[in-house]
Amino acid sequence: MSDLLMKLAGSPIGAGVVKLLGLPAPVELARSKGPYAAQPLARKNVLLGRSPNGYAIDRLWVIALDAGAVSLETLPENAAPGPDILIMDATGCTTPSDYRALYDFFHPWMRRIARNARVLIVAGLPAEAKDPVAAAAARGIEGFSRSLAKELGPRGATVNLAYVARDAVDRLEGVVHFFCGIQTSYVSGQAVHVTSRVTAPALAALRYHEALKGKVALVTGSARGIGRATAERLVQEGAQVICLDVPAASQVLQETCNAIGAKPLAMDIASPDAPRQLADFFRQRFGGLDILVHNAGITRDKTLAKMAGKSWDQVVDINFSAVMAIDQVLLSEQVLRDDARMVYLSSISGVAGNFGQTNYAATKAAMIGYVAAQASLLATRGIGINAVAPGFIETAMTQDMPFMAREIGRRLNSVKQGGKPRDVAELVTFLCTPGAYGISGDTIRVCGQGLIGA
Ligand code: NAD
C-alpha cells in the first residue's frame, strides 16, 4: 500500500522537503521476511540494567546471550556502539527511590540508541506486591515504559513491558525473543503479563525456532489481508495450516493457499452447522487441532442513529456469536488438543471505541473479555488464549478510507506510519508458539502505539 510521505522521507531530496515543511519523517521499520532464526538476537548489541533487588536479571542475561546477543558491558561507555537492545530488570522496584535505577540505566544512552532498537522492561506483578506502595511502584513502570516508547518511536524503536510473576521468571525466554527481536516492529507501548498459570508444555517443545512443526492450525477469514499473512507466517514455522473463508471467496482462497502452501476450507463461520462441520473435519482429518486463530470479521459502520438492525445483527453474528458457537463445540468435544493456542482478532476499536462502530466495537471488546475469562478455565489443559488488537493496518479495508481519515490513522502513532498485515501476523504467530506459555488472557495491541485508546 503506497504511503507517499514515507517514500518522500526516504529519498535524499524528499527528506529535505519533509523537513522544510515540518512534516513527520517516518523511518523504514525493520521487518523479517522469514521464519524465526535459531539465534533470534544474533550479533545485536545488548545492555542489561537492574533495579536494586531485581530477581530476573540472571535469567535475562542467560536468555540474551543464548540468543546470540553481544554484551556491551565489557566496553567503556565511549568506545561502545549504541545499543540495539536494552533490557531492564525492574522487578526490584518497590519504592519511589528505586525509580532512580530507571533514570540511571536509560539516560546515558538515550541519544545513542540505534534505529529500530528494542527495549524490554521487566517488572513485578502489581497484584503480587507486598504492600500498596510496592504495587504503585510496579504499576508506575508502565507509565515510564509507554512514555519511553513515545520518545523512541520516531526512531523505529519499540518499548514494551512484561509484568512477570515471581514464579514465572523461567517463562521469559519466548517473551525476550519476541519483544527484543525483529518481529515486534509495530508492537510498542504494550504491557503483557507473564504468569505460571498455564500448565507448561513438554520442555523439548519450547523452542522458538521451528516451533510449530507438526502443529495443525485453522485461520478463519484468511483468503486475504491479516488472515492470509497469519496463515503464511504459521506455514513458515512449519504448521499445517487450513485457511477458511466464505464460499463466495473460494477462488481467492484457492489462489492464496496455492501461493502460501496451505489447504482451503470454504465455509461461512456464521452458518448454523459450521461448528459441527469444523469439529468433524479436524477430528477425522487430523485427530484434533493445535492452533485456532479467529480472524474472520466484518464492519458495517454507521452511527447508531442511522444503523439498520440488519447491520447490527450481521456484525454481532459473525464477529461474536459465530466465534462463541465454534469454541463451544471445539472445546467441549476436546477437538482443541491440550497445549493448544487460541488467538482472537480484536481491534483498537474494541479498546477505545470508535465513531460509527458501536456494533463492531462491542464485538471486538467482547473478545477482550472472553480471553480474560477463558484463560483460567483452560490453563490446566496447557491452553493459552489471547487477543490481538490491531490499529491502523495497511489493507484493502484501510485503502478504501477517505484520504484525510487514512492520513490521520497512519500518523497518529509513535512511528508515524501504518502497520502491515505481516506485523499483526508476527504477534499472532508468537502467541501460537509453545514459548508464549507465560502469556494467557491478555490483549496486546499491534498499533505502533496508536494514540487512539492509548
Ligand atoms: P479483510 O476484510 O481484508 O479480511 C477478512 C476476511 O474474513 C475476508 O476474507 C472475508 O471474506 C472473511 N470473512 C468475513 N466474514 C466471514 C464469515 N462469515 N465466514 C468466513 N470468513 C469470513 O479484513 P482484515 O483487515 O484482514 O481484518 C482481519 C481481522 O482483523 C478482522 O477481524 C478485523 O476486524 C480485524 N482488524 C483489522 C484492522 C485493520 O486495520 N485492517 C484493524 C483492527 C482489527
Side-chain angles (χ1 to χ4, degrees):
M1 218 69 48
S2 173
D3 179 342
L4 222 58
L5 184 61
M6 263 203 84
K7 275 191 191 151
L8 208 61
S11 73
I13 300 172
V17 176
V18 166
K19 199 170 172 190
L20 202 70
L21 295 176
L23 296 170
V27 303
E28 188 81 37
L29 298 184
R31 288 184 168 96
S32 161
K33 288 198 173 71
Y36 298 132
Q39 285 206 304
L41 310 184
R43 292 180 301 284
K44 295 289 179 191
N45 295 317
V46 67
L47 266 178
L48 266 83
R50 177 185 188 240
S51 63
N53 305 315
Y55 49 79
I57 189 83
D58 295 343
R59 183 77 195 114
L60 291 168
W61 265 123
V62 171
I63 294 168
L65 299 181
D66 275 0
V70 180
S71 167
L72 282 181
E73 222 166 56
T74 46
L75 300 174
E77 214 169 89
N78 293 338
D84 302 305
I85 300 172
L86 293 103
I87 304 175
M88 171 83 187
D89 173 12
T91 53
C93 274
T94 55
T95 66
S97 58
D98 292 333
Y99 274 12
R100 182 69 201 203
L102 292 167
Y103 179 88
D104 288 344
F105 176 59
F106 285 105
H107 173 75
W109 294 99
M110 283 307 293
R111 292 179 205 283
R112 296 173 59 199
I113 291 174
R115 261 192 182 199
N116 284 300
R118 301 288 181 252
V119 177
L120 177 66
I121 304 173
V122 179
L125 268 185
E128 279 189 349
K130 64 179 184 332
D131 57 48
V133 176
R139 178 60 178 79
I141 294 165
E142 200 170 316
F144 174 82
S145 162
R146 289 185 196 271
S147 300
L148 190 62
K150 290 191 173 165
E151 204 167 321
L152 293 176
R155 267 183 250 180
T158 66
V159 181
N160 291 288
L161 169 67
Y163 286 118
V164 62
R166 264 185 184 273
D167 63 355
V169 171
D170 60 346
R171 298 187 179 215
L172 282 172
E173 185 170 28
V175 176
V176 171
H177 288 179
F178 181 73
F179 288 105
C180 294
I182 188 168
Q183 290 83 9
T184 191
S185 332
Y186 205 60
V187 182
S188 194
Q190 299 306 293
V192 298
H193 299 82
V194 182
T195 72
S196 61
R197 68 172 161 179
V198 173
T199 302
L203 266 184
L206 268 183
R207 68 194 187 283
Y208 191 61
H209 171 61
E210 296 185 337
L212 302 182
K213 268 208 167 141
K215 302 281 185 194
V216 178
L218 168 66
V219 185
T220 68
S222 46
R224 65 179 197 195
I226 291 169
R228 176 187 162 134
T230 301
E232 184 172 16
R233 193 63 195 83
L234 294 171
V235 168
Q236 283 188 332
E237 294 307 326
Q240 215 172 333
V241 180
I242 310 301
C243 289
L244 180 155
D245 214 298
V246 285
S250 288
Q251 199 186 329
V252 189
L253 180 63
Q254 186 63 57
E255 285 161 13
T256 290
C257 287
N258 292 346
I260 68 175
K263 291 197 172 60
L265 181 59
M267 186 185 287
D268 182 338
I269 57 161
S271 70
D273 50 355
R276 178 79 276 128
Q277 283 181 11
L278 283 174
D280 293 346
F281 177 85
F282 282 101
R283 190 176 292 116
Q284 285 159 15
R285 303 272 180 104
F286 304 100
L289 180 63
D290 302 293
I291 292 167
L292 172 54
V293 182
H294 278 296
N295 167 79
I298 61 162
T299 49
R300 295 287 182 270
D301 298 354
K302 276 270 188 301
T303 59
L304 190 56
K306 291 185 183 159
M307 189 180 294
K310 192 177 166 207
S311 302
W312 180 273
D313 291 340
Q314 278 177 330
V315 169
V316 174
D317 286 350
I318 293 172
N319 294 6
F320 190 10
S321 311
V323 175
M324 298 299 108
I326 289 169
D327 280 13
Q328 205 280 322
V329 174
L330 296 188
L331 284 168
S332 67
E333 298 188 11
Q334 306 221 339
V335 176
L336 275 154
R337 288 192 264 253
D338 287 355
D339 299 343
R341 295 284 178 262
M342 304 169 78
V343 180
Y344 299 72
L345 267 294
S346 176
S347 165
I348 46 166
S349 203
V351 175
N354 202 10
F355 184 85
Q357 291 197 321
T358 48
N359 51 354
Y360 179 76
T363 64
K364 292 297 175 182
M367 296 304 105
I368 298 172
Y370 180 64
V371 301
Q374 275 286 17
S376 23
L377 302 177
L378 298 174
T380 51
R381 291 189 55 207
I383 297 177
I385 177 166
N386 293 286
V388 162
F392 183 93
I393 305 298
E394 305 276 2
T395 64
M397 186 179 97
T398 46
Q399 194 186 19
D400 287 345
M401 289 166 80
F403 175 79
M404 272 318 285
R406 191 169 65 233
E407 269 309 291
I408 290 168
R410 266 182 185 148
R411 308 299 165 211
L412 280 188
N413 57 66
S414 295
V415 285
K416 313 291 175 216
Q417 59 194 285
K420 303 222 161 129
R422 172 93 185 185
D423 300 332
V424 185
E426 292 290 6
L427 178 59
V428 175
T429 301
F430 162 61
L431 292 169
C432 290
T433 61
Y437 71 131
I439 303 174
S440 194
D442 269 5
T443 295
I444 307 173
R445 290 162 52 184
V446 46
C447 60
Q449 204 183 18
L451 296 187
I452 302 163

